[in-house]
Amino acid sequence: MKTISKDEHYFKKIKIIRSELLIWGEQNLRKYPWRETLDPYKIAIAEVMLHRTKADQVKDIYEEFLIKYPDFESIIKAGREAIKDNLKSLGLFWRADLLYDMAVEVIEEYDGKLPLDRKKLMAMPGVGNYISAAILCFGYNLPEPVLDTNTVRVLGRIFGLKITDSSRRSKLFHDVMYDLVHFWDPRTVSFSLIDFANAVCIPGERPRCEICNLRDICKFYLNKRITDSTL
């Protein structure tokens, strides 16, 4: 995979991306209940529910779930079958087992609180790179790279990096995202990047470059202009 020279030009570009995303986010961030909390438990519940499911489908179920189950202990008391019943409308029934098994481990190993350690989080049932990073970034405001197909798409286009199915697990994308969020408010810039990918830098061959405030530094856009001018 292509490498990036982390020179003065690179870090200047990182600062521009961060600044422009935060400016864009001030007017355009979507509002969801899991974004209004710093409680790692509530964020973990949301991330499990959001897996392969649209946010608008999750919202009501998420709020109802938290009323019934305000902590990991309440999940265990209710039992595995009750959790399955509460989540059946979301499909992907494995999520209920994941949440129940996670609750058991958190209670037994960590006294009911999610650990502030990525390796320990990733060792839990069903918690991979994304969910562990999301818990640390969104719950503790730590500069953990939250990489998925959407955030990878934006960074890949801007820096002219090849995007594959494994990019969200690559060290190159991890390092670029880390540099982007390595400042005082990684949580907000991560939300801004996620929503920017959803609204502006959309999938496909025709992202909304005409309204993109990052197009002047985006290699995808610059290459697109060259291609269009030769047609």
Side-chain angles (χ1 to χ4, degrees):
M1 176 178 281
K2 178 181 177 180
T3 59
I4 292 180
S5 176
K6 293 196 174 186
D7 53 16
E8 182 179 350
H9 175 73
Y10 166 81
F11 284 105
K12 182 179 180 180
K13 196 168 184 175
I14 286 288
K15 288 181 180 179
I16 292 172
I17 297 168
R18 184 190 298 143
S19 176
E20 291 296 333
L21 284 174
L22 290 173
I23 291 170
W24 182 88
E26 287 179 0
Q27 300 296 324
N28 296 284
L29 278 187
R30 294 174 292 179
K31 295 186 181 298
Y32 293 111
W34 49 84
R35 292 187 174 185
E36 306 300 320
T37 181
L38 289 173
D39 185 337
Y41 167 75
K42 294 179 180 179
I43 290 165
I45 298 299
E47 292 302 331
V48 171
M49 289 186 179
L50 287 166
H51 186 76
R52 296 182 186 175
T53 308
K54 293 181 178 179
D56 291 336
Q57 293 177 269
V58 168
K59 182 178 178 294
D60 291 342
I61 296 170
Y62 169 82
E63 292 181 312
E64 292 171 4
F65 188 91
L66 289 182
I67 292 172
K68 289 183 179 179
Y69 310 110
D71 51 33
F72 285 113
E73 186 175 1
S74 60
I75 289 178
I76 295 175
K77 286 182 178 179
R80 190 183 298 271
E81 294 307 313
I83 303 304
K84 286 183 178 180
D85 185 62
N86 286 126
L87 296 184
K88 64 182 179 182
S89 61
L90 287 178
L92 298 176
F93 295 103
W94 55 267
R95 281 183 285 198
D97 285 321
L98 187 158
L99 279 178
Y100 185 83
D101 292 341
M102 183 192 299
V104 170
E105 183 157 339
V106 171
I107 293 295
E108 292 181 351
E109 300 294 330
Y110 302 107
D111 197 29
K113 296 181 180 179
L114 286 162
L116 191 62
D117 182 280
R118 183 161 185 166
K119 288 184 178 179
K120 290 179 179 178
L121 287 171
M122 289 185 64
M124 291 184 180
V127 178
N129 283 313
Y130 186 88
I131 292 180
S132 60
I135 290 170
L136 294 173
C137 181
F138 303 148
Y140 296 104
N141 203 28
L142 293 175
E144 284 287 341
V146 181
L147 289 172
D148 63 6
T149 55
N150 298 305
T151 56
V152 160
R153 181 174 64 255
V154 179
L155 296 178
R157 283 173 173 170
I158 291 174
F159 287 97
L161 303 174
K162 183 179 180 181
I163 302 170
T164 67
D165 291 340
S166 62
S167 293
R168 63 186 184 276
R169 296 185 294 275
S170 81
K171 185 178 186 303
L172 177 57
F173 279 92
H174 176 279
D175 290 350
V176 173
M177 185 68 178
Y178 176 79
D179 290 334
L180 181 65
V181 300
H182 193 63
F183 81 123
W184 67 274
D185 192 6
R187 188 174 188 268
T188 302
V189 80
S190 296
F191 283 144
S192 298
L193 180 59
I194 290 168
D195 286 1
F196 186 83
N198 177 74
V200 180
C201 198
I202 59 177
E205 295 301 317
R206 301 196 67 82
R208 303 177 70 191
C209 298
E210 69 279 2
I211 62 168
C212 177
N213 55 341
L214 292 170
R215 64 186 183 184
D216 289 343
I217 61 168
C218 177
K219 290 193 175 182
F220 177 91
Y221 176 70
L222 296 175
N223 290 336
K224 181 174 177 293
R225 284 185 62 188
I226 294 171
T227 301
D228 290 347
S229 67
T230 60
L231 295 178

mmCIF file of all heavy atoms in Angstrom, residues 118 121-122 126-136 144-147 168-170 174:
data_model
loop_
_atom_site.group_PDB
_atom_site.id
_atom_site.type_symbol
_atom_site.label_atom_id
_atom_site.label_comp_id
_atom_site.label_asym_id
_atom_site.label_seq_id
_atom_site.Cartn_x
_atom_site.Cartn_y
_atom_site.Cartn_z
ATOM 1 N N ARG A 118 -7.811 -0.435 25.541
ATOM 2 C CA ARG A 118 -8.292 -0.987 24.273
ATOM 3 C C ARG A 118 -8.123 -2.504 24.198
ATOM 4 O O ARG A 118 -9.010 -3.211 23.718
ATOM 5 C CB ARG A 118 -7.578 -0.310 23.104
ATOM 6 C CG ARG A 118 -8.093 -0.790 21.764
ATOM 7 C CD ARG A 118 -7.746 0.151 20.651
ATOM 8 N NE ARG A 118 -8.362 -0.280 19.414
ATOM 9 C CZ ARG A 118 -8.459 0.467 18.332
ATOM 10 N NH1 ARG A 118 -8.006 1.698 18.324
ATOM 11 N NH2 ARG A 118 -9.007 0.004 17.229
ATOM 12 N N LEU A 121 -10.800 -4.168 26.212
ATOM 13 C CA LEU A 121 -12.095 -4.042 25.540
ATOM 14 C C LEU A 121 -12.204 -5.025 24.378
ATOM 15 O O LEU A 121 -13.225 -5.695 24.206
ATOM 16 C CB LEU A 121 -12.283 -2.612 25.023
ATOM 17 C CG LEU A 121 -12.578 -1.534 26.065
ATOM 18 C CD1 LEU A 121 -12.508 -0.152 25.434
ATOM 19 C CD2 LEU A 121 -13.944 -1.759 26.702
ATOM 20 N N MET A 122 -11.135 -5.116 23.589
ATOM 21 C CA MET A 122 -11.168 -5.989 22.415
ATOM 22 C C MET A 122 -11.208 -7.463 22.779
ATOM 23 O O MET A 122 -11.573 -8.304 21.964
ATOM 24 C CB MET A 122 -9.977 -5.685 21.512
ATOM 25 C CG MET A 122 -10.086 -4.352 20.800
ATOM 26 S SD MET A 122 -8.756 -4.049 19.621
ATOM 27 C CE MET A 122 -9.059 -5.357 18.426
ATOM 28 N N GLY A 126 -17.330 -10.110 21.075
ATOM 29 C CA GLY A 126 -17.875 -9.316 19.991
ATOM 30 C C GLY A 126 -17.368 -7.885 19.872
ATOM 31 O O GLY A 126 -17.828 -7.138 19.022
ATOM 32 N N VAL A 127 -16.432 -7.483 20.709
ATOM 33 C CA VAL A 127 -15.918 -6.108 20.656
ATOM 34 C C VAL A 127 -14.637 -6.095 19.829
ATOM 35 O O VAL A 127 -13.603 -6.578 20.250
ATOM 36 C CB VAL A 127 -15.642 -5.553 22.064
ATOM 37 C CG1 VAL A 127 -15.059 -4.139 21.967
ATOM 38 C CG2 VAL A 127 -16.918 -5.550 22.889
ATOM 39 N N GLY A 128 -14.704 -5.517 18.639
ATOM 40 C CA GLY A 128 -13.541 -5.455 17.761
ATOM 41 C C GLY A 128 -12.920 -4.074 17.747
ATOM 42 O O GLY A 128 -13.118 -3.269 18.667
ATOM 43 N N ASN A 129 -12.206 -3.790 16.676
ATOM 44 C CA ASN A 129 -11.516 -2.507 16.551
ATOM 45 C C ASN A 129 -12.471 -1.317 16.645
ATOM 46 O O ASN A 129 -12.201 -0.350 17.358
ATOM 47 C CB ASN A 129 -10.778 -2.434 15.208
ATOM 48 C CG ASN A 129 -9.493 -3.234 15.216
ATOM 49 O OD1 ASN A 129 -8.703 -3.147 16.141
ATOM 50 N ND2 ASN A 129 -9.282 -4.025 14.184
ATOM 51 N N TYR A 130 -13.567 -1.385 15.908
ATOM 52 C CA TYR A 130 -14.448 -0.220 15.827
ATOM 53 C C TYR A 130 -15.132 0.076 17.155
ATOM 54 O O TYR A 130 -15.111 1.214 17.635
ATOM 55 C CB TYR A 130 -15.491 -0.397 14.731
ATOM 56 C CG TYR A 130 -16.321 0.848 14.532
ATOM 57 C CD1 TYR A 130 -15.904 1.842 13.657
ATOM 58 C CD2 TYR A 130 -17.500 1.053 15.250
ATOM 59 C CE1 TYR A 130 -16.640 3.017 13.484
ATOM 60 C CE2 TYR A 130 -18.238 2.217 15.095
ATOM 61 C CZ TYR A 130 -17.806 3.189 14.207
ATOM 62 O OH TYR A 130 -18.529 4.343 14.067
ATOM 63 N N ILE A 131 -15.767 -0.933 17.751
ATOM 64 C CA ILE A 131 -16.517 -0.694 18.984
ATOM 65 C C ILE A 131 -15.595 -0.259 20.117
ATOM 66 O O ILE A 131 -15.920 0.648 20.889
ATOM 67 C CB ILE A 131 -17.338 -1.934 19.382
ATOM 68 C CG1 ILE A 131 -18.466 -2.164 18.366
ATOM 69 C CG2 ILE A 131 -17.931 -1.765 20.783
ATOM 70 C CD1 ILE A 131 -19.344 -3.364 18.662
ATOM 71 N N SER A 132 -14.416 -0.879 20.220
ATOM 72 C CA SER A 132 -13.483 -0.485 21.280
ATOM 73 C C SER A 132 -13.024 0.958 21.082
ATOM 74 O O SER A 132 -12.963 1.742 22.039
ATOM 75 C CB SER A 132 -12.279 -1.431 21.315
ATOM 76 O OG SER A 132 -11.571 -1.415 20.087
ATOM 77 N N ALA A 133 -12.717 1.330 19.839
ATOM 78 C CA ALA A 133 -12.302 2.708 19.556
ATOM 79 C C ALA A 133 -13.438 3.681 19.836
ATOM 80 O O ALA A 133 -13.223 4.771 20.377
ATOM 81 C CB ALA A 133 -11.839 2.830 18.112
ATOM 82 N N ALA A 134 -14.661 3.305 19.472
ATOM 83 C CA ALA A 134 -15.814 4.175 19.690
ATOM 84 C C ALA A 134 -16.063 4.405 21.178
ATOM 85 O O ALA A 134 -16.359 5.532 21.602
ATOM 86 C CB ALA A 134 -17.059 3.565 19.039
ATOM 87 N N ILE A 135 -15.936 3.362 21.982
ATOM 88 C CA ILE A 135 -16.128 3.508 23.431
ATOM 89 C C ILE A 135 -15.102 4.476 24.013
ATOM 90 O O ILE A 135 -15.434 5.369 24.800
ATOM 91 C CB ILE A 135 -16.031 2.139 24.128
ATOM 92 C CG1 ILE A 135 -17.241 1.269 23.771
ATOM 93 C CG2 ILE A 135 -15.950 2.308 25.652
ATOM 94 C CD1 ILE A 135 -17.124 -0.175 24.213
ATOM 95 N N LEU A 136 -13.854 4.336 23.603
ATOM 96 C CA LEU A 136 -12.789 5.179 24.144
ATOM 97 C C LEU A 136 -12.875 6.613 23.619
ATOM 98 O O LEU A 136 -12.645 7.571 24.366
ATOM 99 C CB LEU A 136 -11.423 4.578 23.809
ATOM 100 C CG LEU A 136 -11.122 3.234 24.482
ATOM 101 C CD1 LEU A 136 -9.813 2.653 23.955
ATOM 102 C CD2 LEU A 136 -11.056 3.381 25.998
ATOM 103 N N GLU A 144 -8.685 7.981 19.873
ATOM 104 C CA GLU A 144 -8.690 6.643 19.274
ATOM 105 C C GLU A 144 -9.281 6.736 17.871
ATOM 106 O O GLU A 144 -10.375 7.283 17.692
ATOM 107 C CB GLU A 144 -9.499 5.667 20.121
ATOM 108 C CG GLU A 144 -8.799 5.194 21.371
ATOM 109 C CD GLU A 144 -7.678 4.212 21.076
ATOM 110 O OE1 GLU A 144 -7.662 3.615 19.972
ATOM 111 O OE2 GLU A 144 -6.808 4.030 21.940
ATOM 112 N N PRO A 145 -8.607 6.224 16.857
ATOM 113 C CA PRO A 145 -9.112 6.276 15.487
ATOM 114 C C PRO A 145 -10.356 5.410 15.298
ATOM 115 O O PRO A 145 -10.299 4.191 15.465
ATOM 116 C CB PRO A 145 -7.936 5.733 14.653
ATOM 117 C CG PRO A 145 -6.741 5.908 15.526
ATOM 118 C CD PRO A 145 -7.231 5.690 16.926
ATOM 119 N N VAL A 146 -11.471 6.041 14.971
ATOM 120 C CA VAL A 146 -12.721 5.329 14.719
ATOM 121 C C VAL A 146 -12.822 5.127 13.210
ATOM 122 O O VAL A 146 -13.233 6.020 12.466
ATOM 123 C CB VAL A 146 -13.923 6.123 15.259
ATOM 124 C CG1 VAL A 146 -15.220 5.355 15.012
ATOM 125 C CG2 VAL A 146 -13.752 6.410 16.747
ATOM 126 N N LEU A 147 -12.435 3.943 12.764
ATOM 127 C CA LEU A 147 -12.349 3.661 11.328
ATOM 128 C C LEU A 147 -13.441 2.707 10.872
ATOM 129 O O LEU A 147 -13.584 1.607 11.409
ATOM 130 C CB LEU A 147 -10.983 3.056 10.992
ATOM 131 C CG LEU A 147 -9.769 3.995 11.065
ATOM 132 C CD1 LEU A 147 -8.482 3.210 10.898
ATOM 133 C CD2 LEU A 147 -9.856 5.076 9.997
ATOM 134 N N ARG A 168 -9.941 -0.317 6.714
ATOM 135 C CA ARG A 168 -10.280 0.133 8.067
ATOM 136 C C ARG A 168 -9.453 -0.588 9.133
ATOM 137 O O ARG A 168 -9.478 -0.202 10.303
ATOM 138 C CB ARG A 168 -11.774 -0.051 8.333
ATOM 139 C CG ARG A 168 -12.267 -1.479 8.304
ATOM 140 C CD ARG A 168 -13.785 -1.527 8.428
ATOM 141 N NE ARG A 168 -14.297 -2.874 8.510
ATOM 142 C CZ ARG A 168 -14.540 -3.648 7.464
ATOM 143 N NH1 ARG A 168 -14.313 -3.190 6.241
ATOM 144 N NH2 ARG A 168 -15.016 -4.872 7.625
ATOM 145 N N ARG A 169 -8.721 -1.609 8.729
ATOM 146 C CA ARG A 169 -7.849 -2.322 9.674
ATOM 147 C C ARG A 169 -6.368 -2.067 9.381
ATOM 148 O O ARG A 169 -5.509 -2.654 10.022
ATOM 149 C CB ARG A 169 -8.138 -3.832 9.615
ATOM 150 C CG ARG A 169 -9.539 -4.210 10.069
ATOM 151 C CD ARG A 169 -9.727 -5.715 10.106
ATOM 152 N NE ARG A 169 -9.661 -6.303 8.767
ATOM 153 C CZ ARG A 169 -10.696 -6.382 7.933
ATOM 154 N NH1 ARG A 169 -11.878 -5.905 8.295
ATOM 155 N NH2 ARG A 169 -10.575 -6.921 6.736
ATOM 156 N N SER A 170 -6.081 -1.213 8.414
ATOM 157 C CA SER A 170 -4.699 -0.992 8.013
ATOM 158 C C SER A 170 -4.005 0.029 8.913
ATOM 159 O O SER A 170 -4.624 0.969 9.417
ATOM 160 C CB SER A 170 -4.624 -0.518 6.560
ATOM 161 O OG SER A 170 -4.894 0.865 6.468
ATOM 162 N N HIS A 174 -5.058 3.943 10.003
ATOM 163 C CA HIS A 174 -5.083 4.134 11.455
ATOM 164 C C HIS A 174 -4.217 5.330 11.841
ATOM 165 O O HIS A 174 -4.629 6.192 12.633
ATOM 166 C CB HIS A 174 -4.577 2.867 12.154
ATOM 167 C CG HIS A 174 -4.484 2.991 13.650
ATOM 168 N ND1 HIS A 174 -3.416 3.597 14.281
ATOM 169 C CD2 HIS A 174 -5.321 2.583 14.635
ATOM 170 C CE1 HIS A 174 -3.587 3.568 15.589
ATOM 171 N NE2 HIS A 174 -4.745 2.963 15.819
#
